[in-house]
Structure formats: structure tokens, C-alpha cells
Amino acid sequence: PAYLLEAIGMDYKPTADFNVFIAPITGKYTIVKTQPLDEAGAFGVEKATYDSNGNKLTPGKTSRLELGGYLRMMYKKEIIKNVTLLTKLDLFSNYMNNPQNIDVNWETLISMKVNKYISATINTHLIYDHDISIAVDSNDDGVIDAIGPRTQFKEIFGLAFSYKF
């Protein structure tokens, strides 16, 4: 999907390393342009409806608009020589639908310059959105045991070699 945020708010930068953006008026758009995904209602868009014979009555929606409040905190610091930490936390609450449920998007990147030729990165990304349902097969038997919101987590380790000539 594609995500687009439009926000009216205030950016607060108490130091060069840290800033907070607070937007009490935010539009969050989710756009799904792949037919099987929008027909299934993936990523929170409205799914297609069918009659008892399997004929499509209404197509799936390709977009979703949420209106709410948004907060972004970002911290970037060289924690030791040649090691930089960047972490960004985005929080969103939809005023129109379950405002007590907060969408969380948290990314952390640690960049390390090992020597003149080698650098490494560790990247983590945590996502939670209560509008997105994820199917779970807990015992790998091909049968879905549960469908509902879940915490998603991704981590990436990168190793780079560079040489100038």
C-alpha cells in the first residue's frame, strides 16, 4: 500500500538531536491499487461484497481516509565514534473510529563505520495498526487459527564494503 499524511501542527526542536512534531489535525490516506488486495479489504480498506452465488455486488475500495491526531518524535545522535543512532516514533489516533487505539510505527537505525572500507547497519521496524487484520496459522497446518490485528516486526542487518579507485 501507499500511505500519505497531511497534517497541520507544530514542530518542536529543543536540541539538534531531538525533535517532536505534534499535529492535532491530520489526514491519513491508505491507497491500495492491487485488485486482489482491495477486494479482500487488505490494509483497512473496505472489502468487496458478494451475494450467496459469489457474484460481486460492490467492488473493494482502493483507498481509506482517516482523520485524527499525529505525533512524530525523532532522535539522532552519534553515540560513540563512528556509531550513529537514529530512531523515529510515529503515533496516530483516528478521531472517527476507536480513538483509544493508537497506530504505532517505530523505526530504529544503527549505522557503524567499522573502518575505511567496511560499514554495517542494523535496522528495526515495528508496526501496529488495529485496522489491519493478519491471518495466523499457529501450527503451520495450513488452517488459519485467528484473524485480527497483530504487531509486525522487521529487522535488517546490512554489511557494506566500499573501495574508492
Side-chain angles (χ1 to χ4, degrees):
Y3 296 102
L4 176 67
L5 288 173
E6 291 183 312
I8 297 173
M10 178 182 78
D11 200 9
Y12 175 62
K13 296 181 181 184
T15 67
D17 302 331
F18 179 71
N19 72 314
V20 177
F21 178 69
I22 302 168
I25 302 170
T26 304
K28 180 181 175 185
Y29 300 91
T30 304
I31 303 163
V32 178
K33 286 294 187 183
T34 304
Q35 187 176 7
L37 295 175
D38 65 40
E39 297 293 315
F43 304 103
V45 297
E46 193 175 315
K47 66 181 180 178
T49 57
Y50 298 89
D51 65 16
S52 58
N53 295 326
N55 298 315
K56 189 186 321 180
L57 299 173
T58 59
K61 300 281 185 183
T62 58
S63 64
R64 173 189 168 112
L65 169 63
E66 298 174 83
L67 299 173
Y70 175 70
L71 173 76
R72 170 182 277 173
M73 294 183 286
M74 192 177 328
Y75 179 75
K76 182 178 182 180
K77 179 88 172 168
E78 184 174 53
I79 49 179
I80 59 175
K81 187 177 180 182
N82 296 328
V83 178
T84 304
L85 169 71
L86 170 64
T87 187
K88 180 178 69 167
L89 176 65
D90 296 336
L91 304 172
F92 178 81
S93 172
N94 182 356
Y95 295 149
M96 310 304 277
N97 183 19
N98 298 317
Q100 73 278 6
N101 294 340
I102 307 293
D103 297 346
V104 178
N105 193 333
W106 183 18
E107 296 179 71
T108 300
L109 174 67
I110 299 172
S111 303
M112 299 164 275
K113 183 162 178 64
V114 178
N115 60 33
K116 183 178 176 181
Y117 305 106
I118 299 173
S119 63
T121 60
I122 299 170
N123 185 353
T124 63
H125 193 176
L126 181 139
I127 300 172
Y128 177 80
D129 186 340
H130 69 280
D131 296 316
I132 298 174
S133 293
I134 298 172
V136 176
D137 177 5
S138 60
N139 56 4
D140 293 327
D141 63 356
V143 177
I144 295 174
D145 301 317
I147 297 177
R150 300 281 188 266
T151 301
Q152 302 172 63
F153 188 75
K154 174 175 70 172
E155 56 189 81
I156 300 170
F157 173 74
L159 186 61
F161 176 79
S162 64
Y163 179 76
K164 293 181 183 179
F165 53 94

